[in-house]
Amino acid sequence: MAKSPTYQRAHLAALPNLVKSKNPGDLEKYFQLLTDFDFLSEKNQHPDYGVDALIADYNLINHHEVENNPDYNQEKVKALKLIQGALLLSAHILCQDKTQLAEQLWGRLLSFNLPDIQAMLSQIETSKTAWLRLLTPSLTPPGGSLLRTLTGHSHSVHAVAITPDGKQMISASYDKTLKVWNLETAQQVSTLTGHKDWVNAVAVTPDSKLVISASRDNTLKVWNLETAQQVSTLTGHSKGVNAVAVTPDGKQVISASADKTLKVWNLETAQQVYTLTGHSKGVNAVAVTPDGKQVISASWDNTIKVWNLETAQQVSTLIGHSDEVNAVAVTPDGKQVISASSDSTLKVWNLETTQEVSTLTGHSYGVKAVTVTPDGKQVISDSRDILKVWNLETAQEVSTLTGHSSGVNAVAVTPDGKQVISASSDNTLKVWNLEPAQEVSTLTSHSYGVKAVAVTPDGKQVISASWDKTLRVWNLETVQQVSTLIGHTSWVNAVAVTPDGKQVISASWDKTLRVWNLETAQQVSTLTGHSDGVRAMAFTPDGKQVISASLDKTLKVWNLETAQEVSTLTGHSNWVNDVAVTPDGKQVISASSDSTLKVWNLEPAQEVSTLTGHNHWVNAVAVTPDGKQVISASLDKTLKVWNLEPAQQISTLTGHSDGVNAVAVNPNGKQVISASTDNTLKVWNLETGEVLATFTGEYPLSYCDIAPDGVTIIACDSSGQMHFLRLEGGNEFCDG
């Protein structure tokens, strides 16, 4: 009989003594307790025992007696640490949806061949009646750089600061708030509210007692960290405040503003001391040297300026960047300055001679932030969704950290130099291990977001279309890449396979459609005629015609054999995002950014009806195998089910927390699969509107499709990753 959570928790309370025990058999008991998947699930469901308490229990394995005792089975210790790592990586997901424990542990531990891990996975496999099981390990596994993701802000996170004692972290967001986090437990401690606009920057006093925030509302605010209460407001800037720094003695604050100035404030009196003027454009960043004597500022005018803090005089100007300078940091010895610029480089400067020492190149886009490790040996920079670690002495790149689904805006290093925290426009913060315990790998796919996939009629191959301008052909059985189709000059938005499975057609932002021979991987022809990017296309069931949907607000019908345009369908008032053809080949349904769907007769080429009901862009559309119903997916976070004849709405499927990007119908006509920007893939019962299964990825999901077998699902995300899943749950998901 399964033990109650209370009973189990009482046993876990005694685990510290178990771990310290010299008896190897006690570790066996410990392992059995913590790897009992039924127990994990039960605890995770219990209101008094969430995933963080579970992670805390796993922390017991880090006791030195366990790590160093030769009598313990180190393979079991390793397995426990991997499970803990998987839970850490999944914590933000499990806190939102406790039912995802099986999917998350499975997806993150699948690549590990330890017997104890595989035994737990076998238990997981039979633990759920309906779920989406990854066929390949496409979620971030434990053991690498990424440790944890923190969620809570409702808008972009643009700054982060760590208290000098290393116990707390403060994040600043465009949601107008700051959040205080316990760095050890990754739990939110408090929220600081009071700003009237975006919070752009944050700093902490050396005694860890006060927090200073800078906002686009033209003010700085001083907060008591312990009480989470506002202490004072510093007013004087005429435009938004972009950055803030505190002097090493904790007595003064320096602010940088879009009004082209820096201001020095007395923190105790909350009064302005003086203003530093000299930049010709807004000031983006500010730093203070460790001796508290100089201030370094970075500006949109492409320069860095050094100021004497005592005399309020400009000392020097560092010139070398070819675009705006976004961030600046000073090494712990006060001898060097590192600047980050929109020209995609970082520069290292000798502060005494004001000469450039070296340039760090490797980022493909503008560099937004930079920080230096406490030992002064490494630099961490961020650009878009990528962080890079550099050796400061050699000016060489050490490693790259990827994991955010949107731009990284700020980065900080813990006082012990072991961890990095990044703040992103994807509304999250991520905690990274600066020196990961091991190299880990996941199935690599495209180098940029995957926008569409198509499955061949025999179910043996998948073709993916990406914003990296390529298409890739995959063997669905082995999940191995077969070939790459290269030829488009811009993003590839859509892909479809002819009914005979011999040809592939792709649609691109370069305004063309291209026809490819699937066997030879060679281009056959190019269809030109749209005046803007092509978003989607669909074939008629006989494979003779293809219909394309474009940003030029039209659909075009093409003769595939002659590669000639047959007709143009006009009527939408905004982009046409997707198109589907009824099984009888007589009608076309289009989905548009004008919030409508339109039904068209293919012969003659004319509009039949308009389906209205969505209140935002309609991104995708699919038709049931019997041709009677249409399912649409929208940025309004819903799917809608429509009766095609008469043209009317039947139901709305709600459950996604962000826009729905794609929709597919199971060949059996009973289930609908949707992919959303909320990182989830959902399987719906079409008749009841019930969610049957959910998979949560690490990035926004851009597309989904289902193979002819009715159980193999392919989902794509904005990072370029492809997820191959199997819909588990019995015969109800299969044809017939």
Side-chain angles (χ1 to χ4, degrees):
M1 180 182 295
K3 299 178 179 64
S4 70
T6 304
Y7 177 88
Q8 297 279 22
R9 194 68 186 92
H11 277 66
L12 285 170
L15 279 176
N17 293 327
L18 263 180
V19 176
K20 294 176 185 177
S21 169
K22 300 292 184 180
N23 179 7
D26 286 338
L27 184 64
E28 293 291 330
K29 296 176 186 176
Y30 178 38
F31 184 85
Q32 289 172 10
L33 188 62
L34 288 185
T35 56
D36 179 348
F37 182 72
D38 293 332
F39 174 34
L40 293 185
S41 300
E42 189 174 20
K43 286 194 304 180
N44 207 43
Q45 296 288 349
H46 195 261
D48 298 326
Y49 196 29
V51 66
D52 291 296
L54 182 58
I55 290 168
D57 287 333
Y58 273 82
N59 281 334
L60 297 170
I61 63 176
N62 295 324
H63 195 281
H64 69 276
E65 291 285 353
V66 171
E67 293 181 331
N68 301 317
N69 191 330
D71 294 328
Y72 285 142
N73 183 333
Q74 291 303 310
E75 286 293 290
K76 288 193 181 293
V77 172
K78 182 179 179 181
L80 286 168
K81 288 186 175 182
L82 287 171
I83 296 168
Q84 180 195 34
L87 289 167
L88 281 167
L89 289 167
S90 305
H92 64 294
I93 295 169
L94 298 176
C95 287
Q96 297 296 319
D97 184 358
K98 296 178 180 180
T99 67
Q100 285 288 296
L101 183 62
E103 288 84 349
Q104 289 296 308
L105 288 179
W106 178 276
R108 298 188 192 281
L109 297 172
L110 187 58
S111 60
F112 296 96
N113 292 319
L114 293 174
D116 292 306
I117 294 291
Q118 291 301 314
M120 191 181 75
L121 293 181
S122 296
Q123 197 174 358
I124 287 175
E125 196 168 6
T126 58
S127 67
K128 298 190 77 169
T129 54
W131 64 300
L132 288 163
R133 177 174 63 86
L134 279 170
L135 301 176
T136 57
S138 53
L139 294 181
T140 301
S145 296
L146 182 60
L147 296 175
R148 188 157 190 175
T149 299
L150 309 182
T151 59
H153 282 291
S154 59
H155 209 312
S156 301
V157 189
H158 270 254
V160 59
I162 300 170
T163 55
D165 59 15
K167 293 181 178 180
Q168 291 185 313
M169 175 175 68
I170 302 94
S171 55
S173 170
Y174 277 10
D175 65 11
K176 306 178 186 178
T177 74
L178 298 103
K179 289 186 181 290
V180 182
W181 310 81
N182 181 308
L183 199 50
E184 182 180 358
T185 65
Q187 292 299 296
Q188 185 178 317
V189 178
S190 59
T191 300
L192 311 180
T193 58
H195 279 295
K196 297 177 181 178
D197 210 329
W198 299 348
V199 188
N200 295 321
V202 61
V204 186
T205 53
D207 60 8
S208 298
K209 291 182 178 179
L210 296 176
V211 170
I212 301 92
S213 56
S215 170
R216 199 172 73 159
D217 65 11
N218 301 2
T219 73
L220 297 102
K221 288 185 181 291
V222 183
W223 312 82
N224 182 304
L225 189 55
E226 185 177 358
T227 64
Q229 296 298 307
Q230 182 178 319
V231 176
S232 59
T233 300
L234 311 181
T235 60
H237 282 294
S238 60
K239 288 188 178 181
V241 189
N242 297 321
V244 61
V246 182
T247 54
D249 61 10
K251 294 181 178 180
Q252 291 183 316
V253 170
I254 300 94
S255 56
S257 169
D259 65 12
K260 307 178 188 178
T261 73
L262 296 103
K263 289 183 181 292
V264 181
W265 310 81
N266 182 305
L267 192 54
E268 186 177 357
T269 64
Q271 296 298 307
Q272 181 180 320
V273 180
Y274 50 77
T275 300
L276 306 178
T277 59
H279 281 294
S280 60
K281 291 185 179 180
V283 190
N284 290 325
V286 61
V288 183
T289 54
D291 61 10
K293 294 181 178 180
Q294 291 183 315
V295 170
I296 295 92
S297 58
S299 169
W300 283 324
D301 64 13
N302 302 4
T303 72
I304 300 113
K305 289 185 180 292
V306 182
W307 312 80
N308 183 304
L309 190 55
E310 186 177 354
T311 65
Q313 296 298 306
Q314 182 179 318
V315 177
S316 58
T317 300
L318 310 181
I319 300 174
H321 282 295
S322 60
D323 207 336
E324 62 190 50
V325 189
N326 299 314
V328 65
V330 184
T331 54
D333 61 9
K335 293 181 178 179
Q336 292 183 316
V337 170
I338 299 94
S339 55
S341 170
S342 292
D343 65 13
S344 306
T345 73
L346 297 106
K347 289 185 181 291
V348 183
W349 310 82
N350 183 306
L351 192 53
E352 186 177 354
T353 66
T354 69
Q355 296 298 304
E356 182 182 325
V357 177
S358 60
T359 299
L360 310 182
T361 59
H363 283 295
S364 301
Y365 301 95
V367 190
K368 286 190 174 183
V370 62
T371 191
V372 184
T373 54
D375 61 9
K377 293 182 178 180
Q378 292 184 315
V379 170
I380 298 97
S381 60
D382 67 64
S383 171
R384 286 215 175 175
D385 54 358
I386 292 174
L387 293 98
K388 287 185 181 291
V389 182
W390 310 82
N391 181 305
L392 188 55
E393 185 178 358
T394 65
Q396 296 297 306
E397 182 181 326
V398 177
S399 60
T400 299
L401 309 177
T402 59
H404 282 292
S405 62
S406 191
V408 183
N409 302 311
V411 62
V413 182
T414 53
D416 61 11
K418 294 181 178 179
Q419 294 180 338
V420 174
I421 292 91
S422 55
S424 170
S425 294
D426 65 12
N427 302 2
T428 74
L429 298 109
K430 287 186 184 289
V431 183
W432 310 82
N433 190 345
L434 200 51
E435 294 185 5
Q438 64 187 63
E439 287 297 319
V440 295
S441 61
T442 57
L443 177 73
T444 56
S445 300
H446 288 277
S447 60
Y448 203 36
V450 183
K451 296 304 294 179
V453 294
V455 183
T456 54
D458 60 11
K460 293 182 178 180
Q461 291 184 313
V462 173
I463 301 91
S464 56
S466 169
W467 280 5
D468 64 12
K469 306 178 187 178
T470 72
L471 297 105
R472 299 190 187 205
V473 183
W474 308 80
N475 181 306
L476 192 52
E477 185 178 356
T478 64
V479 198
Q480 296 297 308
Q481 185 179 321
V482 177
S483 59
T484 302
L485 310 181
I486 301 173
H488 281 293
T489 59
S490 189
W491 298 346
V492 189
N493 295 317
V495 60
V497 184
T498 52
D500 62 10
K502 293 182 179 180
Q503 291 184 319
V504 170
I505 297 191
S506 54
S508 169
W509 223 261
D510 65 14
K511 307 177 187 178
T512 72
L513 297 100
R514 293 176 191 264
V515 184
W516 311 82
N517 182 305
L518 188 55
E519 186 177 358
T520 65
Q522 297 298 306
Q523 184 177 320
V524 177
S525 60
T526 301
L527 311 182
T528 60
H530 281 293
S531 60
D532 209 333
V534 189
R535 292 291 300 268
M537 95 286 291
F539 287 107
T540 53
D542 60 11
K544 294 181 178 180
Q545 291 183 316
V546 64
I547 299 92
S548 56
S550 171
L551 298 176
D552 66 11
K553 307 177 188 178
T554 73
L555 297 105
K556 288 185 180 293
V557 183
W558 309 82
N559 181 306
L560 192 55
E561 185 177 357
T562 64
Q564 297 298 306
E565 181 183 325
V566 177
S567 58
T568 299
L569 307 178
T570 60
H572 281 294
S573 59
N574 206 335
W575 301 345
V576 189
N577 298 319
D578 199 14
V579 61
V581 182
T582 54
D584 61 10
K586 294 181 179 179
Q587 290 187 316
V588 170
I589 300 94
S590 55
S592 170
S593 292
D594 65 12
S595 305
T596 73
L597 297 105
K598 287 185 180 291
V599 183
W600 314 79
N601 269 338
L602 206 48
E603 289 185 12
Q606 61 186 26
E607 182 181 328
V608 176
S609 58
T610 300
L611 308 179
T612 59
H614 284 294
N615 57 33
H616 212 315
W617 294 359
V618 189
N619 290 324
V621 62
V623 183
T624 54
D626 62 10
K628 294 181 179 180
Q629 292 181 323
V630 169
I631 300 92
S632 55
S634 170
L635 275 185
D636 66 12
K637 308 178 188 179
T638 73
L639 297 105
K640 289 186 181 290
V641 183
W642 312 82
N643 194 330
L644 201 49
E645 190 179 333
Q648 61 186 24
Q649 183 180 321
I650 298 171
S651 61
T652 300
L653 308 181
T654 58
H656 282 295
S657 60
D658 210 329
V660 190
N661 299 317
V663 61
V665 182
N666 196 317
N668 66 16
K670 296 179 180 179
Q671 293 91 30
V672 170
I673 299 92
S674 58
S676 169
T677 302
D678 66 11
N679 297 13
T680 70
L681 184 78
K682 290 185 182 292
V683 180
W684 310 77
N685 181 309
L686 186 55
E687 185 177 357
T688 67
E690 173 192 5
V691 176
L692 302 175
T694 299
F695 164 75
T696 304
E698 297 171 305
Y699 298 89
L701 294 173
S702 51
Y703 200 82
C704 62
D705 203 353
I706 187 163
D709 63 11
V711 293
T712 303
I713 295 173
I714 304 96
C716 321
D717 69 31
S718 62
S719 76
Q721 186 64 269
M722 293 178 64
H723 303 283
F724 297 87
L725 308 105
R726 182 177 175 85
L727 184 54
E728 303 283 9
N731 294 331
E732 64 175 297
F733 298 130
C734 299
D735 250 333

